[in-house]
């Protein structure tokens, strides 16, 4: 009859996956060849999903709903731009995040990324620019030195805050 071979569990050596023979069963006439599978490295998997243009290096695989590239490592998604920065430049220091200087969210070119504070990242972004040019609160009160309180979340109109506080006290 045909020969059979038992295999031990797979073992990874560098970039290749080997299945070494464990035992040959009775009546086996020839030794079966060991099958070798190519296992791409994390770097090979990553760069295969990047389209390097003259400026931006565009992520062509999975993206978040906000347009940022995402890359799965060990079953968990990470920001593709973060992985590229850490691979090419180094770790992002605690308390900092990456700002896309090119404003293209799926760009992974480390030359287009800068580690900045969250506040700076928001200030540089489109929403930060839109809010910075506003001179009045949503109810029409002027943002000025006397009427403006600077909270962690942004500017707050003191007139609106006082009106909210008066209404809140009446209901409690």
């Amino acid at each position: 009859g045909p020969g059979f071979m038992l295999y031990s569990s797979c073992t990874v050596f560098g970039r290749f996956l080997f299945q070494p023979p464990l035992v040959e069963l009775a009546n086996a006439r020839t030794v079966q060849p060991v099958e070798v599978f190519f296992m791409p490295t994390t770097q090979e998997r990553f760069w295969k999903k990047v389209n390097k243009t003259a400026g931006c290096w565009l992520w062509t695989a999975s993206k978040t709903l906000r347009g940022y590239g995402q890359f799965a490592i060990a079953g968990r998604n990470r920001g593709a731009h973060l992985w590229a920065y850490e691979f090419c430049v180094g770790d992002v220091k605690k308390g900092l995040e990456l700002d896309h200087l090119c404003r293209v969210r799926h760009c992974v070119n480390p030359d287009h990324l800068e580690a900045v504070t969250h506040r700076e990242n928001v200030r540089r972004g489109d929403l930060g620019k839109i809010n910075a040019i506003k001179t009045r609160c949503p109810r029409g009160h002027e943002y000025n030195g006397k009427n403006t309180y600077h909270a962690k979340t942004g500017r707050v109109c003191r007139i609106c805050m006082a009106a909210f506080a008066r209404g809140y006290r009446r209901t409690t």
Side-chain angles (χ1 to χ4, degrees):
F4 293 96
M5 198 182 276
L6 294 176
Y7 289 94
S8 67
S9 61
C10 298
T11 312
V12 175
F13 294 101
R15 293 178 51 225
F16 297 94
L17 181 68
F18 292 92
Q19 292 182 321
L22 183 63
V23 178
E24 286 187 56
L25 294 179
N27 300 328
R29 295 189 182 162
T30 59
V31 175
Q32 302 286 326
V34 174
E35 203 169 344
V36 178
F37 298 96
F38 173 71
M39 295 292 293
T41 64
T42 302
Q43 292 89 348
E44 289 170 330
R45 283 190 337 67
F46 182 88
W47 296 113
K48 193 178 199 178
K49 300 169 188 202
V50 176
N51 177 19
K52 290 185 178 180
T53 65
C56 291
W57 297 356
L58 303 175
W59 184 252
T60 61
S62 176
K63 296 179 189 80
T64 67
L65 293 174
R66 299 180 121 206
Y68 293 96
Q70 57 186 5
F71 181 55
I73 300 174
R76 298 190 72 187
N77 282 333
R78 299 191 61 198
H81 62 291
L82 178 61
W83 189 92
Y85 186 88
E86 289 176 348
F87 181 76
C88 297
V89 178
D91 290 339
V92 177
K93 291 181 182 160
K94 188 173 181 163
L96 300 180
E97 57 190 46
L98 295 178
D99 178 26
H100 285 86
L101 301 174
C102 59
R103 313 277 24 110
V104 178
R105 291 180 174 178
H106 62 284
C107 175
V108 298
N109 184 342
D111 292 336
H112 293 191
L113 301 169
E114 183 181 4
V116 297
T117 63
H118 178 70
R119 174 178 233 147
E120 180 64 14
N121 197 7
V122 170
R123 188 191 68 76
R124 290 178 178 182
D126 295 333
L127 189 58
K129 289 176 184 168
I130 291 168
N131 284 331
I133 61 172
K134 290 181 182 176
T135 59
R136 298 188 172 275
C137 80
R139 293 206 168 118
H141 305 118
E142 186 178 3
Y143 283 132
N144 59 36
K146 285 185 172 183
N147 186 42
T148 306
Y149 169 72
H150 293 276
K152 287 183 180 180
T153 56
R155 294 180 293 181
V156 178
C157 172
R158 290 183 189 271
I159 296 170
C160 291
M161 177 146 351
F164 173 78
R166 281 192 302 274
Y168 178 78
R169 277 186 244 131
R170 280 190 209 130
T171 61
T172 55

